[in-house]
Coordinates of all heavy atoms in Angstrom, one line a residue:
R1 N -116.7 200.3 182.8 CA -118.1 200.1 182.7 C -118.4 198.8 181.8 O -119.4 198.2 181.9 CB -118.8 201.3 182.0 CG -118.8 202.5 183.0 CD -119.7 203.6 182.4 NE -119.1 204.9 182.8 CZ -118.8 205.9 181.9 NH1 -119.1 205.7 180.7 NH2 -118.3 207.0 182.4
S2 N -117.4 198.4 181.0 CA -117.6 197.3 180.1 C -116.8 196.0 180.6 O -116.8 195.0 180.0 CB -117.1 197.6 178.7 OG -117.9 198.6 178.1
D3 N -116.2 196.2 181.8 CA -115.3 195.1 182.4 C -116.2 194.2 183.2 O -116.9 194.6 184.2 CB -114.2 195.7 183.2 CG -113.2 194.7 183.6 OD1 -113.5 193.5 183.7 OD2 -112.0 195.1 183.8
A4 N -116.2 192.9 182.8 CA -117.1 191.9 183.5 C -116.6 191.7 185.0 O -117.4 191.2 185.8 CB -117.0 190.6 182.8
R5 N -115.4 192.1 185.3 CA -114.9 192.0 186.7 C -115.4 193.0 187.6 O -115.3 192.9 188.8 CB -113.4 192.0 186.7 CG -112.7 190.9 186.0 CD -111.2 191.1 185.8 NE -111.0 192.2 184.9 CZ -109.7 192.6 184.6 NH1 -108.7 191.9 185.0 NH2 -109.6 193.6 183.8
I6 N -116.0 194.1 187.0 CA -116.6 195.2 187.8 C -118.1 195.1 187.7 O -118.6 195.2 186.6 CB -116.0 196.5 187.3 CG1 -114.5 196.6 187.5 CG2 -116.7 197.7 188.1 CD1 -113.8 197.8 187.0
P7 N -118.8 195.0 188.8 CA -120.3 194.9 188.7 C -120.9 196.1 188.0 O -120.3 197.2 188.1 CB -120.7 194.7 190.1 CG -119.5 194.2 190.8 CD -118.4 194.8 190.1
I8 N -122.1 196.0 187.5 CA -122.8 197.1 186.9 C -123.0 198.2 187.9 O -123.5 197.9 189.0 CB -124.1 196.7 186.3 CG1 -123.9 195.7 185.1 CG2 -124.9 197.9 185.8 CD1 -125.1 195.1 184.5
G9 N -122.6 199.4 187.6 CA -122.8 200.5 188.6 C -121.6 200.7 189.5 O -121.5 201.7 190.2
G10 N -120.6 199.8 189.5 CA -119.4 199.9 190.3 C -119.2 198.8 191.3 O -120.1 197.9 191.4
T11 N -118.1 198.9 192.0 CA -117.7 197.8 193.0 C -118.4 198.2 194.3 O -118.1 199.3 194.8 CB -116.2 197.7 193.1 OG1 -115.6 197.5 191.8 CG2 -115.8 196.6 194.1
P12 N -119.2 197.3 194.9 CA -119.8 197.6 196.2 C -118.7 197.8 197.3 O -117.7 197.2 197.2 CB -120.7 196.4 196.5 CG -120.8 195.7 195.1 CD -119.6 196.0 194.4
G13 N -119.1 198.5 198.3 CA -118.3 198.7 199.5 C -118.3 197.4 200.3 O -119.2 196.5 200.1
F14 N -117.4 197.3 201.3 CA -117.4 196.1 202.2 C -116.8 196.5 203.5 O -116.1 197.5 203.7 CB -116.7 195.0 201.5 CG -115.2 195.3 201.3 CD1 -114.3 195.1 202.3 CD2 -114.8 195.7 200.0 CE1 -112.9 195.3 202.0 CE2 -113.4 195.9 199.8 CZ -112.5 195.7 200.8
A15 N -117.0 195.6 204.5 CA -116.4 195.7 205.8 C -116.1 194.2 206.2 O -117.0 193.4 206.2 CB -117.3 196.4 206.8
V16 N -114.9 193.9 206.5 CA -114.5 192.5 206.8 C -113.9 192.5 208.2 O -112.9 193.3 208.5 CB -113.5 192.0 205.8 CG1 -113.0 190.6 206.2 CG2 -114.1 192.0 204.4
L17 N -114.4 191.7 209.1 CA -113.9 191.6 210.5 C -113.0 190.4 210.7 O -113.3 189.3 210.2 CB -115.1 191.5 211.4 CG -114.8 191.3 212.9 CD1 -114.1 192.5 213.5 CD2 -116.1 190.9 213.7
D18 N -111.8 190.6 211.3 CA -110.9 189.6 211.6 C -110.6 189.6 213.1 O -110.6 190.6 213.8 CB -109.5 189.8 210.9 CG -109.6 189.9 209.4 OD1 -110.5 189.1 208.8 OD2 -108.9 190.7 208.8
L19 N -110.5 188.4 213.7 CA -110.1 188.2 215.1 C -108.7 187.6 215.2 O -108.4 186.7 214.5 CB -111.1 187.4 215.8 CG -112.6 187.9 215.9 CD1 -113.5 186.9 216.6 CD2 -112.7 189.3 216.5
R20 N -107.9 188.1 216.1 CA -106.5 187.6 216.2 C -106.1 187.4 217.7 O -106.6 188.0 218.6 CB -105.6 188.7 215.7 CG -105.9 189.1 214.2 CD -104.9 190.1 213.7 NE -105.2 190.6 212.4 CZ -105.8 191.8 212.1 NH1 -106.0 192.6 213.1 NH2 -106.0 192.1 210.9
A21 N -105.2 186.4 217.9 CA -104.7 186.2 219.2 C -103.2 185.7 219.0 O -102.9 185.1 218.0 CB -105.5 185.1 219.9
G22 N -102.4 185.9 220.0 CA -101.0 185.5 219.9 C -100.4 185.4 221.3 O -100.9 185.8 222.3
L23 N -99.2 184.8 221.3 CA -98.4 184.7 222.5 C -96.9 184.8 222.1 O -96.4 184.2 221.1 CB -98.6 183.3 223.1 CG -97.7 182.9 224.3 CD1 -98.1 183.9 225.5 CD2 -97.9 181.5 224.7
R24 N -96.2 185.7 222.8 CA -94.8 185.9 222.5 C -94.0 185.5 223.8 O -94.3 185.9 224.9 CB -94.5 187.4 222.2 CG -93.0 187.7 222.0 CD -92.8 189.2 222.0 NE -93.5 189.8 220.8 CZ -92.8 190.1 219.7 NH1 -91.5 189.9 219.6 NH2 -93.5 190.7 218.7
V25 N -93.0 184.7 223.6 CA -92.1 184.2 224.7 C -90.7 184.7 224.5 O -90.0 184.1 223.7 CB -92.2 182.7 224.8 CG1 -91.3 182.2 226.0 CG2 -93.6 182.2 225.0

């Protein structure tokens, strides 16, 4: 609760989207 790296009230949730493509020969 006193750590500046943690926002007041706690760490917010998140959702991160990644797109991927590849080719195997």
Side-chain angles (χ1 to χ4, degrees):
R1 291 185 215 130
S2 300
D3 193 329
R5 295 171 294 183
I6 299 175
I8 295 173
T11 304
F14 63 83
V16 177
L17 175 66
D18 302 324
L19 300 178
R20 307 181 181 104
L23 177 65
R24 179 191 293 264
V25 182

